[in-house]
Amino acid sequence: MDSGKVVHRGKPDIHVIRSRASGKTQHIQEVSAKSLELNKVIRLLKDPLTTNLKERHLFVLKKLLKRSQNGFLLRELAGVAKILNICAEKVKDHHEYVPVLCEALKICRFPFLKEKASDELNYTQDVTEFLGHMGRLMRVSDADVRQQLVESVKSFYSLFLHSLSAGLQPTSPGYRLQLLERSDLVQTLLLSMAAVENQPAIKLQLLQTLQILSSSSDMNCALMLRAQGAETICLHMNEHDPSGQVLFRSSEILWNLLERGSKDEVTAQLSTIECVVSLKEAFFHQLLNSFRHSDVQLRNDLLVITTLIAENPNPLLIESLFAKQLMPFITFPELKSHNSLVHNFKLTYNNEDLKMKKLLLNLLVLMSRDIAALQLYKEEGVMLALLTLIKPPAASAERRPGLLHWSSIQQEELQLQALAVLATVAPLMVDDYVLCQGNACMLLLLDWCVGQDAYFGQGNSFHGTGGRGSKKAHMRHCIRVLRAVTSLGDESVNQDLCDQGTINQLLGILMQMEASPDEEDAVTLEIKSDIQLILSVLCETDMHRKELFGSEGVEMVVHFLKKGSNKFYSGLGHNKLILSTVDCVWSCIVGCYTTEDFFLAKEGLFLLLDLLGSSPRCVHGIVLATMLELCDNSNTVSHILSWRDGDGQTAPRLLLQLWREEEAELGVSRSRNGEIADPKRPTLSPHQQEESQLSFPASVASASVLEMAENLRSKIYSIFCKLGFQDLPGLRTKDYVTLSIVKRYLDFKVGEVWDEISRELSVDGVRPVTPDEEALSSVCKITEDTATRVAKEQSSILEQLEKTEINEEELMYTEIKSHWKQKELTAKSWDHYVTKTSNYEILKEVKAQREKYIESSRNKSKHKDAALHPAEQFIGQVLAVESTDAEGPAGVKLTLARTHIKTAAEEEIQPTTRAPEYFSTVSVKD
């Protein structure tokens, strides 16, 4: 059958349908006809009877592509994909199909076309599969097809403006890119890197396309990594490249994968021996052959990628000889090398060379985790090179004229970087550090840091933070190196420092910084705390060094203790400074009686107690431990007992308060008044109860033993053992309740340990012999009885407190009642007085009553012995007034004190100068 006739027969049918159908019916029939046409083309290409009709195929395909020259319809993509696959298979034997594929791929540059708004959603799967089929066309070996394919993919990220037929619209700009991420196009292009190895131009364009894809989407990066993209790119970046762009593009793709993909996954893929060797070849090629600025930047980029690989646990830099070849460049130009690689190497001392030098120094830190790298450092003299770099600028200022060298700013950055490297490397290479006289170099640098010569740090680098305009950054890193070296506890290193006067030098620096008017910042506080830690390490185990610490050191410690803990949570580092100060007391003062006595004389113990009362809970442990150590001094106890805080609280009371807070934190069972709630578990916490159900090996300490080291109760108990449990000042009833528990703490802990032993035996299914079982039972019973007895003692204390409070309350109410009664009598007396003065009738009645009482008292029968005993007269004084239930004047009862009045006869014998005053008793009317 002739293909021309087939097409000719189809046209009249379509034309007839268009002429007779209505609008909607016409559109449906037109769609069916076009679909039918694609199916006919596919049948034409695949039918065994027509599969060899090459000319007819080309004619139909060209006509089909011409019809779709403005873009493929979404509904046709499935058929177009099939046609392109068939053509790709035929290209192997018939090169004539190549123009068809190229033309189809050119059309793919244009956006896909939609006839309805819903087409984008309806044909999502077709578009995704079509993009995947596009990528698989890279299997066609023809360069034109591959070039058109990568160009088409790149065009997805460009905007094309072209005219469209009526009724058609392009898809939205992000539609195709979104579906590209769902397809396997990215992975297919990546895997085709090996196929274009012998086509440099296509390879470069493919890398450009992959660079665009990786820079535009995180999902594309994830897809590339899923196909081992980082490893693939790295392995192909050193292949023959006439353009000189392959390495640059490959580096950019790796950077995109690091920034937008998973950094860990990228470095894991690059950590193979093949990739490390490939990176090594690329880096040294750029290092020794780079002269342009872009090439130097690429060299540094490769070094950064190498640095990221070195952060992995097993980077293989040693095995690949990459590290060994880097060593001469790391120590250049500080050390002379006979290595052939360095012989013709020249530094221009620009910023890019500075970056490379800093990256190489940083590699020393990362590779130092490998013991083999440390051996390499020793062989290449890395320690000497670092100590040469850290020399003060004054010592390295004498330079040969006419020679290139680092600028002062660059020198500062390298010096700080070298100090940071030494803080990590020096403790790992102590022998080399001592051999190169590292301590002397550090102390010389420290002298320069505190010198008064004019030096203004730029503070541009990361390590120069806080040091702008001063030498503070240098001092910070110098102190860090000394702290790292001394913390090893190597006696030879520490003794060498002490022999050079480091203790007095550090004390002087510390007090000089304190005297400075500059405001404290995080860097300053770090330096101070690090100096104190160095002093603690140096003096901790040597009595002679504590004596060298002496009064000057005590003055320093007292000065810092007086600052208190008000700024503990400032965020600048005051918390570290407080802890290092207390540690300095423990390590540099405790144990030497001369410094201890001077510390006590300077009220240092009072300052520790002040700190204990005002500091957070995290500080209490070290403060209590220090106080406990000081209690070995016989003068300490009196200082503790005489201390009072601002509210008058005593030290024993403060310690008991801390005990209660600690038990509340641990969740120990206590009653509302602090009594023992459970005699079987008097000091047991819930955490210990949980662990007591488990079995531990004999080499592991039990929960009860560990608990003593982790909380404050054992330290408080030990201090009370020094103070005693009797006649403690300033305690209240609640404190006595707590003190009764503290007093028996050791007994309770012994019982806990035996109880744990019994439980572990039970958990392990071990039954002790009868005598041991009885002994265990007796110990547990004794502990419970002790707890019960303490609980009774606590109840007795509380009962006594309750009685005292009741008596005080009754006395208070009696006093209140008396006061109110006095106020009532005063009010009644005043009312009576007002009534008399305002009502004449009442006044007359009162007067009559008074006369009546006087008369009645005169008419009383005299005693038979009245002649012998003359009548005595008295005057009285009111002592108390009480009201009774009777009405009238009889309702008031007076208590009088009488005074004898002499009679007339007596007055004649002893005449008085004035007439006696008589007192009349008047009843107050209710």
Side-chain angles (χ1 to χ4, degrees), residues 253-273:
I253 294 173
L254 292 178
W255 269 111
N256 291 336
L257 294 177
L258 285 168
E259 292 176 353
R260 309 201 64 157
S262 172
K263 176 184 172 183
D264 295 337
E265 190 171 351
V266 174
T267 54
Q269 292 183 18
L270 295 178
S271 295
T272 62
I273 189 68

Side-chain angles (χ1 to χ4, degrees), residues 521-587:
D521 56 6
V523 175
T524 303
L525 291 171
E526 180 187 338
I527 294 173
K528 292 177 182 178
S529 59
D530 284 349
I531 289 177
Q532 290 182 341
L533 291 174
I534 294 171
L535 291 171
S536 298
V537 173
L538 292 178
C539 300
E540 184 174 8
T541 58
D542 192 285
M543 188 63 64
H544 176 63
R545 296 173 192 170
K546 292 184 179 183
E547 292 174 353
L548 292 176
F549 187 80
S551 59
E552 186 181 357
V554 172
E555 294 279 2
M556 179 273 294
V557 169
V558 169
H559 171 79
F560 281 100
L561 286 176
K562 286 181 179 179
K563 291 187 174 184
S565 60
N566 295 331
K567 298 180 180 180
F568 191 84
Y569 292 110
S570 65
L572 295 177
H574 289 91
N575 53 343
K576 298 178 182 177
L577 186 60
I578 290 173
L579 292 171
S580 62
T581 302
V582 178
D583 185 58
C584 212
V585 176
W586 194 346
S587 302

Side-chain angles (χ1 to χ4, degrees), residues 301-312:
D301 289 344
L302 294 172
L303 191 55
V304 172
I305 295 174
T306 305
T307 302
L308 295 176
I309 295 174
E311 293 178 355
N312 282 350

Side-chain angles (χ1 to χ4, degrees), residues 54 60 83 90 162 262-263 303 324 426 443 469 487 498 584 669 726 813 844 887 921:
K54 180 172 61 176
V60 173
I83 293 173
K90 291 183 176 293
H162 59 287
S262 172
K263 176 184 172 183
L303 191 55
K324 184 173 180 60
L443 295 179
S487 63
C498 294
C584 212
S669 178
Q726 302 295 331
Y813 277 114
K844 288 187 347 178
E887 298 180 358
T921 302

Side-chain angles (χ1 to χ4, degrees), residues 286-439:
Q286 291 297 115
L287 179 65
L288 301 174
N289 300 285
S290 298
F291 303 100
R292 296 179 302 176
H293 183 69
S294 58
D295 293 335
V296 174
Q297 286 183 325
L298 177 58
R299 173 199 70 189
N300 290 349
D301 289 344
L302 294 172
L303 191 55
V304 172
I305 295 174
T306 305
T307 302
L308 295 176
I309 295 174
E311 293 178 355
N312 282 350
N314 187 23
L316 300 178
L317 295 179
I318 305 295
E319 293 79 353
S320 63
L321 300 180
F322 197 175
K324 184 173 180 60
Q325 294 179 16
L326 282 175
M327 286 300 118
F329 297 96
I330 293 177
T331 58
F332 182 84
E334 289 76 33
L335 299 181
K336 294 182 179 180
S337 175
H338 300 288
N339 192 297
S340 58
L341 291 175
V342 189
H343 185 65
N344 296 321
F345 178 67
K346 301 294 182 182
L347 279 176
T348 58
Y349 296 95
N350 57 15
N351 287 333
E352 294 301 327
D353 285 345
L354 176 66
K355 291 178 182 177
M356 182 190 73
K357 182 69 174 179
K358 292 169 67 176
L359 287 170
L360 290 173
L361 291 175
N362 188 48
L363 265 177
L364 291 176
V365 177
L366 298 175
M367 294 190 297
S368 63
R369 293 172 294 186
D370 193 338
I371 299 178
L374 297 178
Q375 182 61 35
L376 194 60
Y377 294 172
K378 292 182 180 182
E379 295 172 359
E380 299 293 335
V382 169
M383 181 62 65
L384 182 59
L386 292 174
L387 292 174
T388 304
L389 265 178
I390 68 166
K391 287 183 178 180
S396 58
E398 299 179 358
R399 296 167 177 169
R400 297 179 182 176
L403 295 178
L404 292 175
H405 52 75
W406 301 112
S407 66
S408 59
I409 297 176
Q410 293 173 334
Q411 183 68 32
E412 177 191 352
E413 293 190 25
L414 289 177
Q415 187 180 16
L416 295 174
Q417 181 88 12
L419 284 170
V421 174
L422 271 174
T424 301
V425 175
L428 302 174
M429 303 174 62
V430 179
D431 295 339
D432 286 42
Y433 177 80
V434 174
L435 186 63
C436 297
Q437 298 182 348
N439 284 337

